[in-house]
Amino acid sequence: MQTNPTPPPYTSLVAIGDSFTEGMSDLLPDGSYRGWADVLAARMAASAPGFRYANLAVRGKLIGQIVDEQVDAAAAMNADVVTLVGGLNDTLRPNCDMGRVRGLLTEAVERLAPSCGRLVLMRSPGRQGPVLERFRPRMEELFATVDELAAKHGALVVDLYGAPALADPRLWDVDRLHLTADGHRRVAEAVWQTLGYPPEDTEWRVPMPATAPPAWLDRRVADVRFARQYLLPWIGRRLTGRSSGDGLPAKRPQLLPYETPEGREAYEGRA
């Protein structure tokens, strides 16, 4: 008789980072974002009574801001699992100092690893296209540092960069920077399995079925819309030193119970 594997004894999760961990663009009906970390927390809570969850991520944050604003708060929570994804926003800046990025990521890991039961790092996904090709060397330098730090400090690494499915433009929102709801679901599954839970989707890495490419005119219309609504504002923020996350609070700043839908509604102020 086959028995179900016993879930790992994790009773708390703290997620830190930028828009990827905040959950953009997995939009809920009320206008808030869900994202892979929320999906993961809900799954973990279902098998762990009294499960607690905090998400300190804020969109637009650079690795230095994550270190200054999130790392100490996360370390103080002494959670069973801490996820750290950061540095990718830095690699997209024209004058990125990769030596500084590597140093700050190292500082973050060294402060987090002793304070939690399990530290999870990631090789972030990359969307197919010219942007990825332009910044690929920086991204791969960042991911090499992730691998080195994980080996040194006993952290887990979730390799999203090496998953063909997550490079598919259809799993990315119209802003070309953030995953769709299905993309976030696949990331949650990847982290879930890396933590040792039994798979719920054994094919999260499998690419979507091929479809006919959009017509030339449709592609040009999409390019113009992207440039007007997303690219030009993004360039404007870079030139003026602003960020999309300026003034925004952490998504879930306290490590509080996240057990049931009713409990989550109370946490989010909707009960």
Side-chain angles (χ1 to χ4, degrees):
M1 179 178 176
Q2 186 175 7
T3 59
N4 293 327
T6 302
Y10 298 130
T11 62
S12 55
L13 167 68
V14 176
I16 66 176
D18 51 34
S19 59
F20 175 67
T21 301
E22 184 185 345
M24 296 175 71
S25 292
D26 186 3
L27 192 64
L28 293 171
D30 66 358
S32 65
Y33 293 110
R34 180 176 52 184
W36 66 264
D38 282 14
V39 174
L40 176 66
R43 287 192 189 181
M44 295 173 73
S47 61
F51 184 84
R52 297 174 299 152
Y53 171 51
N55 189 326
L56 309 183
V58 177
R59 69 197 70 172
K61 293 300 182 182
L62 303 174
I63 186 62
Q65 294 169 310
I66 293 171
V67 170
D68 291 343
E69 300 167 14
Q70 300 178 28
V71 166
D72 283 347
M77 293 177 183
N78 298 119
D80 289 341
V81 178
V82 172
T83 65
L84 165 63
V85 188
L88 202 62
N89 282 335
D90 297 78
T91 68
L92 301 178
R93 298 294 177 104
N95 299 317
C96 173
D97 181 347
M98 285 303 299
R100 181 174 181 272
V101 172
R102 292 194 306 271
L104 287 166
L105 184 60
T106 299
E107 180 182 345
V109 170
E110 289 177 345
R111 287 157 64 176
L112 289 168
S115 71
C116 65
R118 177 64 70 185
L119 179 62
V120 178
L121 308 176
M122 296 190 201
R123 294 161 56 91
S124 305
R127 181 186 185 276
Q128 292 175 352
V131 173
L132 175 63
E133 293 309 313
R134 178 180 178 185
F135 296 103
R136 186 186 295 275
R138 290 180 181 175
M139 293 170 62
E140 294 186 346
E141 184 176 349
L142 176 68
F143 299 154
T145 302
V146 166
D147 291 341
E148 293 167 4
L149 290 170
K152 181 177 180 180
H153 295 278
L156 299 176
V157 176
V158 184
D159 185 14
L160 305 173
Y161 182 70
L166 292 176
D168 191 323
R170 291 172 293 175
L171 286 178
W172 294 75
D173 193 35
V174 292
D175 67 1
R176 305 182 184 181
L177 287 174
H178 301 106
L179 291 169
T180 63
D182 187 35
H184 279 283
R185 180 196 61 79
R186 291 174 186 243
V187 172
E189 179 67 32
V191 183
W192 172 263
Q193 292 185 25
T194 300
L195 285 170
Y197 290 95
E200 295 189 9
D201 176 7
T202 58
E203 299 186 346
W204 71 267
R205 289 176 172 269
V206 177
M208 299 171 66
T211 58
W216 181 89
L217 181 59
D218 292 337
R219 294 199 304 271
R220 299 294 78 77
V221 170
D223 289 342
V224 171
R225 177 188 176 194
F226 162 71
R228 182 176 65 249
Q229 293 186 324
Y230 300 104
L231 181 59
L232 292 178
W234 184 85
I235 292 173
R237 290 194 298 272
R238 299 291 82 75
L239 293 175
T240 57
R242 294 179 292 116
S243 167
S244 57
D246 287 348
L248 294 180
K251 182 175 184 178
R252 299 178 183 273
Q254 295 177 286
L255 188 61
L256 293 178
Y258 195 79
E259 277 191 81
T260 64
E262 293 77 14
R264 290 196 293 275
E265 288 173 359
Y267 184 103
E268 296 162 4
R270 296 199 297 266

